[in-house]
Amino acid sequence: MPVTKKSDPVNIPSYPHEVLAVVLSVRDGNLCVLLWRRGQSPFRYRWALPGGGVQPTEWLRVAITGHLAAKVDVREVAHLEQLATHSAIDRDPRTRVLATAYLGLVPSDVRPNLPADTAWHRVDELPRTAFDHHYFIDAAVGRLRAKLSYTNIGFALAPAEFTIAELRDLFSAALGYELSATNLTRVLTRRQVIGPTERTARPGQSGGRPATVYKFVARELTVTDPFAVLRPPR
Amino acid sequence: MPVTKKSDPVNIPSYPHEVLAVVLSVRDGNLCVLLWRRGQSPFRYRWALPGGGVQPTEWLRVAITGHLAAKVDVREVAHLEQLATHSAIDRDPRTRVLATAYLGLVPSDVRPNLPADTAWHRVDELPRTAFDHHYFIDAAVGRLRAKLSYTNIGFALAPAEFTIAELRDLFSAALGYELSATNLTRVLTRRQVIGPTERTARPGQSGGRPATVYKFVARELTVTDPFAVLRPPR
DNA sequence: GCCAGTTTTCGCCTGATAGGCGATAACTGG
DNA sequence: CCAGTTATCGCCTATCAGGCGAAAACTGGC
C-alpha cells in the first residue's frame, strides 16, 4: 500500500501527462479518424492520434485545442468532450506518460487543410496505430455510436442544413449499418432534434421530388431520450 | 499555441496527479457517498472524497484501490469504473493537482468498519465539500442513475440474494423516486438481469405471502438495453 | 380451524414509440 | 404528356413500459 501522506500535493510524485484527440468525421460516406504519421522512433511510421504535452497553467481542454490547431482549424471542431485517462506504466516505452483523450467531431462538409503527415483513416480499415491509441479510437467510436441514439450529437457531424437523404447517409456511415429515411425522420423530428426549414433542395440530375431542407434545432449537446426503463412516475 | 515538441515525453512538463473515489451505497434507504473530514488546511473540517497520490509505477486503478483500503475493505467494493479527470489549475489552492475520479459501489448489506474521520452522507443532503469534489459526486450519481436503467449495474448495490420488495426499495433510494415492484420485476427479468432462485423469504411479523428470493444473473457490468432508437435492421 | 389483515404475484389492459411497407406527391428529362 | 426517379406520408405491426385490480399465500387472533 502506498505511503503517500494523503492529499498533500507536495508529497505527490509527478510525471508527464499528455492529451490526445480522437477526431471523428464522415468523409465520402465513411466514418474516419484523423491520424498523423510518426517520423521518429518509437513507433516510427506508425499512425498516431494528434496531441501532446500540457503546459503548467493550461487546462486539459485548452491544451488539446492548442495541439489540434496544428492539424485542423479548431473552429471546424463542432464538439469536444473528454473520453478517458489511461495510465498503463508502459504505454510509452520511453517513460511513463499519462494520457487523457478527448473525442472531437468535425462536420462532414468542412474540408480542413491537413498537414502533409496527417490524413483521415476509415475506422473500419484502421492501420496499425502507435502506443495504445487503438483503444482510445475504439472507445471514441463506441461513445459516438451510442450517443447518436439518445442525444442530438449528430449536429456535430452534419452540415448546418441538409436533406433527409443526406442525413440518412451520414448516420448510416457513422453507425455502420443502413437506416431507413422514414424512421430516421420520424424519430428525430418527434424528439425535436431536427426540424424542417422553409427551403427545399434542387433534385439531382436524375430528377425526383425536391427534398425539404432540415436543420438541427440545437447545436449543443443535449440528452433527448430518457432511458427506456425505470422512469419516474408521471 | 504551446510550443512543446510533439509527443516527446522529455519535454512534457509534469505536475502532481491524484486519484479520488466516489464510493456510493444505499444506507438505510438512502443513497450515500463515503466522505472523510479533513483535519488540516486547506478546507479544514470540510468533507472530502477519499484518495491521494499516484506512485510512479502504479496504475490509476491500483492507486485508488490502495487509498480506498484505508477507508473500507476493498473486497467490499463490488464495482469500480473511471469517471473523469479534472484539470482546473486552481482546483487545489496550494499547487496544481490533476485529479482522476473513479466511481465505486458497495452493496447495501455490507457494513464496512469506517475510521473515525469517515462517514456515509446522503447525496440529497450533502455537506459543503472540499475542493471541487462536489462536481465529481454529481457526476457519479448521474452516471449511476443512468446506468441503472440500461445496464445490470444494480448488482453492485444489492446483496447476493434479495426479495423484490427489497430490490424496489434499493432502486427507489438510488434513483430518488418510487418504483413499482410489478414493473421492476417484469423489466429486469425479461432482460435477464435478475432471476428467481428456488428459495423464498420468511414473511415479516405482520404476515403476508412469502416472497421469492431473486439474484442477479451476472455480477459484472453488461449493457442490457440496446438504446431505444436507430437500431440496426433485424 | 376460521377469519381478518398483510404482502406478494399474476393477468389484463393501456399508451408510447420504433420500425416496415406501400401509396402518393413532386420533380426530372425526353 | 409520359416514364423514371426521389421524397414524403399514412397505415399497420411489434415491442416494451407501466397501471391496476384480482388472486395467492402467508401471519396472528379469536
Side-chain angles (χ1 to χ4, degrees):
Chain A
M1 186 166 56
V3 291
T4 307
K5 186 80 180 83
K6 60 192 171 192
S7 193
D8 185 348
V10 180
N11 291 336
I12 296 179
S14 60
Y15 29 70
H17 191 135
E18 65 177 1
V19 286
L20 299 170
V22 185
V23 179
L24 300 178
S25 185
V26 174
R27 306 275 115 186
D28 301 321
N30 296 107
L31 184 63
C32 293
V33 58
L34 190 71
L35 298 174
W36 66 280
R37 197 148 186 251
R38 291 179 59 83
Q40 299 160 22
S41 173
F43 297 107
R44 190 171 188 182
Y45 303 142
R46 288 262 195 106
W47 293 89
L49 294 170
V54 183
Q55 295 300 308
T57 59
E58 265 183 336
W59 290 36
L60 291 180
R61 195 185 177 83
V62 175
I64 191 57
T65 302
H67 287 295
L68 270 182
K71 301 294 179 186
V72 295
D73 187 335
V74 177
R75 289 165 300 183
E76 297 167 336
V77 179
H79 178 70
L80 190 65
E81 69 178 48
Q82 196 184 94
L83 256 187
T85 299
H86 281 199
S87 64
I89 54 179
D90 56 353
R91 56 174 298 280
D92 187 314
R94 293 163 294 186
T95 182
R96 183 179 199 187
V97 184
L98 256 61
T100 297
Y102 279 75
L103 164 64
L105 299 177
V106 171
S108 61
D109 60 329
V110 307
R111 296 273 153 187
N113 279 322
L114 301 184
D117 63 354
T118 305
W120 296 102
H121 284 82
R122 294 175 55 164
V123 299
D124 57 355
E125 295 179 1
L126 275 188
R128 300 191 54 153
T129 56
F131 307 102
D132 54 357
H133 293 187
H134 179 70
Y135 294 103
F136 285 121
I137 297 171
D138 283 353
V141 171
R143 175 160 323 173
L144 170 65
R145 287 180 172 166
K147 286 200 169 182
L148 279 172
S149 278
Y150 70 92
T151 74
N152 68 342
I153 203 170
F155 79 84
L157 291 177
E161 299 195 321
F162 47 84
T163 65
I164 292 297
E166 290 163 356
L167 192 67
R168 168 181 33 79
D169 293 343
L170 197 71
F171 270 65
S172 296
L175 288 169
Y177 49 78
E178 296 303 308
L179 293 177
S180 80
T182 304
N183 199 43
L184 184 66
T185 313
R186 250 189 322 233
V187 170
L188 295 187
T189 52
R190 180 181 26 220
R191 293 183 174 179
Q192 303 201 54
V193 170
I194 62 173
T197 66
E198 301 292 310
R199 303 198 313 107
T200 61
R202 300 279 311 279
Q205 291 96 310
S206 48
R209 175 171 169 174
T212 304
V213 173
Y214 281 75
K215 62 180 171 59
F216 275 84
V217 172
R219 299 195 70 85
E220 292 179 352
L221 189 67
T222 53
V223 174
T224 60
D225 185 41
F227 292 109
V229 273
L230 309 184
R231 292 198 187 86
R234 290 162 301 121
Chain B
M1 186 167 54
V3 290
T4 307
K5 187 76 179 81
K6 60 193 172 191
S7 193
D8 186 347
V10 180
N11 291 336
I12 296 180
S14 61
Y15 30 71
H17 192 137
E18 65 177 1
V19 286
L20 299 169
V22 185
V23 180
L24 300 178
S25 186
V26 174
R27 306 276 115 185
D28 301 321
N30 295 106
L31 185 63
C32 292
V33 58
L34 189 71
L35 298 175
W36 66 280
R37 196 146 186 252
R38 290 179 60 82
Q40 300 159 21
S41 173
F43 297 107
R44 191 172 189 182
Y45 303 142
R46 289 265 193 103
W47 293 89
L49 294 171
V54 182
Q55 296 301 309
T57 60
E58 266 183 336
W59 290 37
L60 292 179
R61 194 183 178 86
V62 174
I64 190 57
T65 303
H67 288 294
L68 269 183
K71 302 294 179 187
V72 295
D73 188 336
V74 177
R75 289 165 300 185
E76 297 168 337
V77 179
H79 178 70
L80 190 65
E81 68 178 46
Q82 197 184 93
L83 256 187
T85 299
H86 281 198
S87 64
I89 55 179
D90 56 353
R91 55 174 297 280
D92 187 314
R94 293 163 294 186
T95 182
R96 185 180 198 187
V97 184
L98 255 60
T100 297
Y102 280 75
L103 165 64
L105 299 176
V106 171
S108 62
D109 60 330
V110 307
R111 296 272 154 187
N113 280 322
L114 302 184
D117 64 354
T118 305
W120 295 102
H121 284 83
R122 293 175 55 164
V123 298
D124 57 354
E125 294 179 2
L126 274 189
R128 299 192 54 153
T129 56
F131 307 102
D132 54 355
H133 293 186
H134 179 69
Y135 294 103
F136 285 120
I137 298 171
D138 283 353
V141 171
R143 181 173 301 185
L144 170 64
R145 288 180 171 166
K147 286 200 169 181
L148 280 172
S149 278
Y150 70 93
T151 74
N152 67 341
I153 202 170
F155 78 84
L157 292 177
E161 299 195 322
F162 46 85
T163 65
I164 292 297
E166 290 163 356
L167 192 68
R168 166 177 41 75
D169 293 343
L170 197 73
F171 270 63
S172 296
L175 288 168
Y177 49 78
E178 296 303 308
L179 292 178
S180 82
T182 304
N183 199 44
L184 184 66
T185 313
R186 251 191 320 234
V187 170
L188 295 187
T189 51
R190 179 178 29 217
R191 294 185 174 177
Q192 305 201 54
V193 170
I194 62 173
T197 66
E198 301 292 311
R199 305 197 313 107
T200 62
R202 300 278 311 279
Q205 293 96 308
S206 48
R209 175 173 170 172
T212 303
V213 173
Y214 282 75
K215 60 179 172 58
F216 275 84
V217 171
R219 298 194 71 84
E220 292 180 351
L221 188 67
T222 53
V223 174
T224 59
D225 185 41
F227 292 108
V229 273
L230 308 184
R231 292 197 187 88
R234 288 164 300 122

